Amino acid sequence: MASTRLEVVSEDQSPHKWCVPLKEDVFGAFIAKGSPVVHKVFGDKSLFGPLLFKKFFDPSDAFPLWEFEPGVLLYDPQNACVDWFQTDACYILKTELQEIEKSSIRVYIENGKVMEISGLWNHKGDSRTTDWRSSKWWECGFVRRLELPENVDLKKIEACVNNNTVLDIRLPKTSTECDIPAGNGRVIKDGASTSA
């Protein structure tokens, strides 16, 4: 299985990105005039589609994905192109990348609280003088912003594209048992104090 590792950037210094929200009526007009590529990138089975969760939700707004099971949120969980789950060690997000140039995908962690997955689907709108994310971003690119669970080890997040079609993001959990020196020869383990 061929795998391409993506860099996970901890801070993005673009202050005005996602300042133009995608409204439901604007999206309706956009998708009605859209090409087959637009329908694949923003369709109801795509991670980047505003109708992924059965009702309209702007993908540029952070969503608490990990609080829900896929069967509760998705229109058709049996034929979904998106899956997320957790193990004892990590949270895992997998999604098919249809009609998306894999080299444009970026993964950012914002303030240690939000994971942002974005990229370009239309390079014609890519301007080097302005950041495409600060205006009508859907005309050039895509985004999905997800709230991170509190127990994610931010330094160990991994993202890769497998077989040039599946985005796989792994969010390792922080250790639940952590020895913290408490002073006076005591060690705290999971909130309980013991003598060293």
Side-chain angles (χ1 to χ4, degrees), residues 69-115:
E69 296 293 324
V72 172
L73 285 181
L74 299 175
Y75 269 121
D76 187 0
Q78 310 310 351
N79 295 313
C81 297
V82 180
D83 191 20
W84 64 92
F85 54 93
Q86 63 178 304
T87 67
D88 291 339
C90 67
Y91 298 91
I92 299 170
L93 171 68
K94 293 184 179 205
T95 187
E96 289 181 27
L97 300 171
Q98 300 180 9
E99 302 294 328
I100 294 174
E101 187 175 317
K102 294 18 165 212
S103 65
S104 80
I105 296 173
R106 302 290 179 256
V107 179
Y108 297 102
I109 304 301
E110 183 180 302
N111 299 324
K113 297 181 181 193
V114 173
M115 177 175 61

Side-chain angles (χ1 to χ4, degrees), residues 3-14:
S3 180
T4 304
R5 192 174 190 111
L6 302 175
E7 179 182 12
V8 178
V9 179
S10 60
E11 288 301 324
D12 180 9
Q13 303 301 323
S14 303

Side-chain angles (χ1 to χ4, degrees), residues 56 65 78 82 84 107 110 130 135 147 156 182 185:
F56 187 86
L65 181 74
Q78 310 310 351
V82 180
W84 64 92
V107 179
E110 183 180 302
T130 60
S135 59
E147 292 178 11
K156 295 182 179 177

Side-chain angles (χ1 to χ4, degrees), residues 161-178:
V161 176
N162 296 322
N163 292 331
N164 212 27
T165 59
V166 176
L167 175 64
D168 185 330
I169 299 178
R170 296 180 182 260
L171 310 161
K173 295 178 181 178
T174 54
S175 176
T176 55
E177 178 152 323
C178 181

Side-chain angles (χ1 to χ4, degrees), residues 127-145:
S127 169
R128 298 293 169 210
T129 58
T130 60
D131 186 347
W132 64 271
R133 301 171 299 174
S134 64
S135 59
K136 295 178 181 176
W137 52 267
W138 54 90
E139 293 177 354
C140 300
F142 55 88
V143 65
R144 175 60 72 188
R145 296 179 69 238

